[in-house]
Amino acid sequence: MQFNTEYNKTNAIQREAIDQIEGVVVVNSGPGSGKTQMFALRVANILIMDIQQQARNILCLTYTNAGVKAIRERLYSFIGIQAYEVNIFTFHSLCSNIIQYHPAEFGLMDFEPVTELEQYEILCEIIDELPADNVLKRLKGDSYYEAKRMKNLYQMMKQEYWSSDHIKQKSLEYIKSLPEREEYIYKKANSKKNILPGDLKIDAIAKESDKMQTLMAAAELFNVYNEKLYERKRYDFSDMISIVVTHFKKELEQEAAGHLSHGILAKQQEQFQYILVDEFQDTTGSQLEFLKLLVDFWEIPNLFVVGDADQTIYEFAGARAKNFEWALSFLDVKVLNTEQNYRSKQSILSAAHNLISNNKIRYNHNELVANV
């Protein structure tokens, strides 16, 4: 009865998202548009429409623990105790769960999370072992100045599933492009310094190139850092997803060579018949890679993703427009846009619309398909 009551309150677009439980559905939904309610109603509707489906075969992925709690509570109000049988995780907690159930297969028996102090000690040890001419080795001042930046770099590499070679390639491409970038070309003449319009800012280019050389030097030590973690039987928070993704890919290689018939990935693919992802624009590179592996078994998976395409402007925080491009690449994908807002006044919505309309790359409304 509670489900029917709440379902009847939804608008036409929301009902379409709730009702189409098969295939790939992409919902572009901004803040205040009832995303959590629609998300939970759709999970409940899967169990109502497909009475043979078990709750354990549904996987919901979201970005934060608060999101997990919100979806679980809404779902409980619709279907009761069965809500606790539905798999609702953050990406990290699901990968942690997979590792905990198969510690031997992942080679992580007796491993524990690394502390910040241990991380710093490992990074200092790496710097101590470097030759004196390494750009990361500071012979004056703070010898471990680069440790914090190395930590941030390695965290990003794990989040985005980047290798040292990837960092090197992109860095070299960037260095090569510097003379062509406007910020490194003089726009005005300066007779005192004998500068003409169009001259290159040689010193600025050299300084930026030095930064990229330092970045590449740090990236080259990424595997050393991971090896030292492993020697101490430690892992960090960002490892959870990359460890699982790497293991899944090895299983696929072993299966292709005929050395493995039914690995951990295959078990996950068999169990999760319906996959729903909230806050899709916030998924990182490693999270998206994990999701691709989960649905790869199906030509057209039962995949439902909801997110705010306008929030892909926050790429510095991990939001990616490429996430939507991947989701839209499936055959017969249905794209829905929830334009009704239940939270904000029209004046706020109008101001937000005027601001975001200046963005040159938008993946929303009808342009969600046209711009891809």
Side-chain angles (χ1 to χ4, degrees):
M1 291 178 63
Q2 180 68 16
F3 171 84
N4 291 334
T5 300
E6 297 302 321
Y7 177 85
N8 290 332
K9 293 179 182 178
T10 59
N11 59 51
I13 297 297
Q14 289 175 324
R15 285 194 292 274
E16 193 171 359
I18 294 165
D19 288 340
Q20 181 164 333
I21 64 173
E22 304 291 333
V24 180
V25 179
V26 178
V27 180
N28 181 39
S29 187
S33 58
K35 286 187 293 184
T36 303
Q37 183 79 340
M38 175 182 63
F39 196 93
L41 284 168
R42 191 176 197 275
V43 175
N45 202 35
I46 291 171
L47 296 171
I48 292 170
M49 295 181 69
D50 188 353
I51 58 175
Q52 294 183 340
Q53 191 61 246
Q54 297 182 34
R56 65 180 297 274
N57 296 132
I58 300 174
L59 173 64
C60 301
L61 292 168
T62 188
Y63 198 60
T64 63
N65 290 326
V68 170
K69 184 174 183 288
I71 294 169
R72 183 85 68 189
E73 289 177 347
R74 297 286 180 95
L75 191 56
Y76 179 80
S77 71
F78 301 148
I79 62 175
I81 197 68
Q82 194 180 20
Y84 287 93
E85 298 175 19
V86 176
N87 293 281
I88 307 176
F89 292 98
T90 64
F91 281 89
H92 282 96
S93 63
L94 174 59
C95 289
S96 177
N97 195 55
I98 292 172
I99 292 171
Q100 288 174 12
Y101 271 92
H102 308 90
E105 289 88 338
F106 285 94
L108 295 176
M109 293 290 288
D110 303 322
F111 272 59
E112 296 180 0
V114 67
T115 66
E116 288 193 20
L117 178 59
E118 287 174 323
Q119 276 185 305
Y120 183 72
E121 289 174 347
I122 291 172
L123 292 168
C124 290
E125 183 179 306
I126 291 173
I127 292 173
D128 284 339
E129 294 171 356
L130 295 174
D133 59 350
N134 191 289
V135 293
L136 300 172
K137 190 95 167 184
R138 299 211 171 198
L139 302 180
K140 295 181 180 180
D142 184 1
S143 303
Y144 307 117
Y145 176 83
E146 300 293 349
K148 183 177 180 180
R149 296 204 293 177
M150 290 167 70
K151 175 187 173 182
N152 293 337
L153 171 63
Y154 298 157
Q155 180 179 351
M156 181 175 290
M157 290 175 71
K158 290 179 180 184
Q159 286 178 341
E160 298 302 329
Y161 205 65
W162 290 339
S163 65
S164 299
D165 288 339
H166 174 81
I167 296 290
K168 182 178 181 180
Q169 177 190 340
K170 294 299 180 181
S171 298
L172 291 174
E173 290 174 1
Y174 176 67
I175 292 173
K176 187 178 180 180
S177 74
L178 291 178
E180 302 170 2
R181 293 176 174 265
E182 289 187 8
E183 60 267 37
Y184 295 102
I185 301 174
Y186 285 106
K187 306 296 187 300
K188 297 180 180 180
N190 188 324
S191 57
K192 292 183 178 180
K193 296 184 178 181
N194 198 27
I195 293 173
L196 298 174
D199 285 352
L200 295 178
K201 299 179 181 179
I202 302 299
D203 291 342
I205 290 176
K207 186 176 181 180
E208 190 69 8
S209 297
D210 288 343
K211 288 182 181 179
M212 301 314 296
Q213 294 294 339
T214 303
L215 174 66
M216 287 188 285
E220 286 180 2
L221 297 169
F222 180 57
N223 290 337
V224 176
Y225 170 72
N226 289 325
E227 288 168 3
K228 289 184 178 293
L229 278 177
Y230 192 85
E231 288 171 2
R232 288 169 169 78
K233 291 193 173 184
R234 295 290 185 269
Y235 61 84
D236 64 37
F237 184 71
S238 300
D239 278 324
M240 291 292 90
I241 299 173
S242 59
I243 287 173
V244 174
V245 168
T246 300
H247 184 83
F248 281 175
K249 289 187 174 183
K250 286 181 180 178
E251 285 190 346
L252 291 175
E253 292 173 0
Q254 291 173 336
E255 288 176 4
H259 301 313
L260 183 69
S261 59
H262 201 74
I264 300 171
L265 173 59
K267 293 176 183 177
Q268 306 301 313
Q269 291 172 331
E270 286 179 6
Q271 178 179 350
F272 301 132
Q273 302 295 311
Y274 292 90
I275 299 176
L276 301 88
V277 186
D278 192 17
E279 301 293 356
F280 186 59
Q281 79 283 344
D282 287 330
T283 49
T284 64
S286 60
Q287 291 169 342
L288 186 62
E289 198 68 25
F290 174 76
L291 186 60
K292 287 178 180 179
L293 289 166
L294 275 188
V295 306
D296 185 60
F297 179 78
W298 310 97
E299 183 176 352
I300 302 179
N302 295 324
L303 175 66
F304 177 79
V305 300
V306 58
D308 184 1
D310 276 335
Q311 289 191 45
T312 57
I313 60 173
Y314 298 116
E315 184 152 343
F316 66 88
R320 296 288 184 270
K322 69 181 180 184
N323 299 353
F324 285 96
E325 294 175 14
W326 170 74
L328 293 169
S329 68
F330 286 97
L331 185 66
D332 297 329
V333 58
K334 177 177 282 293
V335 181
L336 300 171
N337 296 283
T338 59
E339 299 181 356
Q340 190 168 341
N341 190 285
Y342 298 93
R343 183 187 301 167
S344 304
K345 295 180 180 180
Q346 187 58 50
S347 58
I348 295 176
L349 296 175
S350 297
H353 173 75
N354 291 337
L355 178 64
I356 197 63
S357 62
N358 293 310
N359 187 18
K360 296 180 180 179
I361 303 176
R362 293 188 72 195
Y363 290 82
N364 69 330
H365 307 295
N366 294 328
E367 298 172 3
L368 184 63
V369 177
N371 279 355
V372 172

